[in-house]
Amino acid sequence: MNFLKKLFTKKHFTDGSVLWPSGKEHYSFVDRHGNRFEFDVLYTSTAANAENMIVSSSLFAVDGTPAPEDIKQDIVLKSKLYFSERGQRVAVI
């Protein structure tokens, strides 16, 4: 059970932002101001040493507008932290 909890729980960051898997290969991110963004992460597996690929062109706000560059950078940075805690690698495509 701890293994599944570690994989599927929300990650809360100190600045108030949150990142979590919200569907198969789909993730959600809420920034510190409460704005929600969604993006795709392609992955080889959920095991350690897996490589996750963030699809940068899929980063959109829930209203359909593309994520601003500073938000994209924040999402990538926090995604790297999120996956590294799971012993996984991440790349941006």
Side-chain angles (χ1 to χ4, degrees):
M1 181 68 172
N2 270 346
F3 175 73
L4 290 176
K5 185 177 180 181
K6 184 177 179 183
L7 286 177
F8 299 111
T9 58
K10 291 181 178 180
K11 170 68 177 169
H12 295 266
F13 296 93
T14 57
D15 68 355
S17 59
V18 184
L19 175 70
W20 72 96
S22 57
K24 184 175 172 75
E25 297 186 337
H26 193 77
Y27 279 71
S28 294
F29 176 78
V30 175
D31 70 9
R32 63 183 175 271
H33 304 294
N35 302 309
R36 184 172 172 165
F37 300 88
E38 298 184 350
F39 60 102
D40 296 324
V41 177
L42 308 176
Y43 56 89
T44 54
S45 77
T46 57
N49 297 321
E51 177 152 310
N52 301 281
M53 293 173 279
I54 297 172
V55 181
S56 62
S57 62
S58 72
L59 288 157
F60 283 89
V62 291
D63 67 1
T65 59
E69 195 58 39
D70 61 328
I71 294 294
K72 284 184 181 182
Q73 291 174 2
D74 196 30
I75 290 171
V76 168
L77 174 68
K78 290 180 177 157
S79 294
K80 287 180 178 181
L81 292 170
Y82 176 86
F83 289 115
S84 71
E85 287 180 356
R86 287 153 178 72
Q88 300 175 348
R89 295 172 288 148
V90 66
V92 180
I93 57 170

